Amino acid sequence: MRNTFGNIFRLTTFGESHGEAVGGVVDGMPAGITIDETFIQDELNRRRPGQSHITTSRKEPDRVRLLSGVFEGRSTGAPIGFMVNNTNQHSADYDNMRNLFRPSHADFTYQTKYGLRDHRGGGRSSARITISRCVGGALAKLALRQLGISVQAYTTQVGDIGLEHDYRHYDLSLTEQNAVRCPDPEKALLMEQLIDGVKAEGDTIGGIIACVVRGCPAGLGEPEFGKLHAALGAAMLSINAVKGFEYGGGFGSVSERGSEQNDIFCTDQEGRIGTLTNRSGGIQGGISNGEDIYFRVAFKPVATLLKEQETVDLEGKATTLKAQGRHDPCVLPRAVPIVEAMAAMTILDYYLVSKSVRL
């Protein structure tokens, strides 16, 4: 079971949804980085449950404890261990799922692979495990901040309600001003109303999160099997409920011709080479070109529904399931910081790889 992410900047996670705690170890954090624990906690607060009427009602403070690798407010270069206690599990809500498989969930595949599974909240397959990613991502953001690199994600679509333009047409500082984390207030209201309606029906809905990385230098990425966009894609596809990844023009570019898609190179007044457009999404040949890195991540509707579904039990006998408990009707609002975390860790890791290669 692979529980470690990264090459030089590495995150190893542990824990289950209804266990004692979740946490991890970050290895490869550069020494001397100012560790803002308030910022790290704020990043976790953006992910935590119960933060709005359109998320799960599970109440967890998600208070992180840094256990090692920090001295007098700075990283020492040693592994940074951390832990977040689970305090509000309702394991009994999952008793009716012990002997059957939830449709489109990881129950069947875990049972097949390991011969047993933790049915309480999904165990290791639960999205609660992304707490560790957010802590790792917050540490990566603190390091990237010193390099002038920023990572910003936002909800761009819920169901059939979506933004018409890319990030350059919106004030991304408005992203945190609404529960759905969309920088367009009018669209955000429609998205919230849609999620509310779906929740009232006991159903779920998916959507798309967009992300932009600004300030990334040219030269990150390793051909042929270490391409930056492939690493970002793998990072995003490792997030619970993610079904698709595209960067730059993505799938929409297939209907255009090369003359419409190519990014023309130019030189600015200071003699720096750049491009007039950014349909490549900041990556060409698998290597960052110095422009903004822009990508989108598609999330499926949550698999656990509060309405009856047909399924089978452990012996293959037909039965029905109606889930109980507290579940998100849409993962997107809480997934925005997770997308940022995975992007930040990927960019920092590849920055460190680039520096080690040059040495």
Side-chain angles (χ1 to χ4, degrees):
M1 197 172 193
R2 295 189 60 180
N3 300 295
T4 299
F5 172 84
N7 300 286
I8 294 179
F9 182 92
R10 294 164 59 87
L11 168 69
T12 300
T13 72
F14 69 83
E16 294 83 31
S17 176
H18 286 235
E20 291 294 321
V22 296
V25 176
V26 169
D27 201 2
M29 180 72 173
I33 303 297
T34 300
I35 303 301
D36 184 344
E37 293 193 35
T38 299
F39 173 76
I40 296 172
Q41 186 60 56
D42 286 344
E43 291 293 276
L44 275 184
N45 291 344
R46 295 172 66 210
R47 192 225 71 94
R48 69 176 173 82
Q51 60 183 275
S52 77
H53 63 101
I54 57 173
T55 64
T56 172
S57 60
R58 178 172 176 168
K59 299 293 184 182
E60 291 276 7
D62 287 352
R63 290 291 169 187
V64 63
R65 291 172 53 210
L66 300 185
L67 307 175
S68 62
V70 179
F71 179 67
E72 295 183 342
R74 294 194 300 170
S75 58
T76 65
I80 299 177
F82 62 89
M83 185 171 69
V84 175
N85 288 324
N86 292 328
T87 62
N88 191 229
Q89 308 99 310
H90 288 183
S91 298
D93 289 341
Y94 296 87
D95 285 349
N96 66 328
M97 304 179 189
R98 178 186 292 272
N99 296 314
L100 50 78
F101 301 121
R102 287 172 291 178
S104 288
H105 216 286
D107 296 343
F108 174 74
T109 51
Y110 268 57
Q111 185 76 36
T112 302
K113 183 175 180 65
Y114 300 107
L116 74 164
R117 63 185 171 89
D118 185 347
H119 68 282
R120 305 166 302 165
R124 190 68 176 154
S125 69
S126 170
R128 184 154 180 77
I129 310 306
T130 58
I131 283 174
S132 300
R133 299 174 183 230
C134 284
V135 175
L139 291 168
K141 282 185 178 182
L142 291 173
L144 292 177
R145 182 185 295 175
Q146 296 195 13
L147 298 172
I149 301 172
S150 66
V151 181
Q152 171 80 67
Y154 61 92
T155 298
T156 186
Q157 184 171 334
V158 174
D160 59 358
I161 300 172
L163 304 184
E164 290 84 6
H165 307 290
D166 66 24
Y167 70 96
R168 294 169 295 182
H169 293 80
Y170 301 98
D171 180 0
L172 298 191
S173 68
L174 300 177
T175 299
E176 296 294 319
Q177 301 302 309
N178 55 75
V180 78
R181 293 197 164 94
C182 172
D184 184 323
E186 294 182 2
K187 291 285 188 178
L189 180 59
L190 294 175
M191 292 175 182
E192 288 184 38
Q193 292 172 344
L194 175 58
I195 296 172
D196 270 333
V198 168
K199 180 181 179 181
E201 297 172 359
D203 216 330
T204 62
I205 196 164
I208 298 174
I209 290 175
C211 186
V212 56
V213 180
R214 292 187 172 101
C216 184
L220 303 192
E222 303 298 322
E224 174 176 347
F225 299 111
K227 294 179 178 178
L228 183 58
H229 63 269
L232 285 168
M236 298 306 141
L237 289 165
S238 75
I239 300 173
N240 307 59
V242 169
K243 301 295 283 186
F245 169 85
E246 63 176 3
Y247 72 103
F251 289 103
S253 64
V254 302
S255 61
E256 297 182 349
R257 300 188 179 187
S259 56
E260 298 172 299
Q261 273 292 307
N262 284 351
D263 293 316
I264 304 302
F265 285 102
C266 63
T267 305
D268 64 17
Q269 295 179 345
E270 298 179 0
R272 291 175 298 194
I273 296 176
T275 58
L276 293 175
T277 55
N278 190 22
R279 300 183 184 94
S280 300
I283 302 172
Q284 294 171 328
I287 301 172
S288 61
N289 65 3
E291 304 295 328
D292 293 343
I293 295 174
Y294 176 60
F295 61 86
R296 291 163 300 282
V297 186
F299 286 78
K300 71 172 184 176
V302 178
T304 304
L305 311 183
L306 297 182
K307 59 183 353 182
E308 193 169 272
Q309 299 182 87
E310 296 180 357
T311 186
V312 298
D313 62 18
L314 295 179
E315 297 177 350
K317 295 179 180 178
T319 184
T320 58
L321 164 69
K322 185 175 183 180
Q324 305 171 23
R326 305 156 297 175
H327 307 280
D328 285 291
C330 178
V331 300
L332 272 76
R334 295 174 60 209
V336 166
I338 302 168
V339 167
E340 290 180 2
M342 296 308 297
M345 287 192 289
T346 301
I347 296 299
L348 178 59
D349 187 38
Y350 268 60
Y351 178 85
L352 295 174
V353 167
S354 175
K355 292 301 179 183
S356 67
V357 168
R358 293 182 182 183
L359 290 176

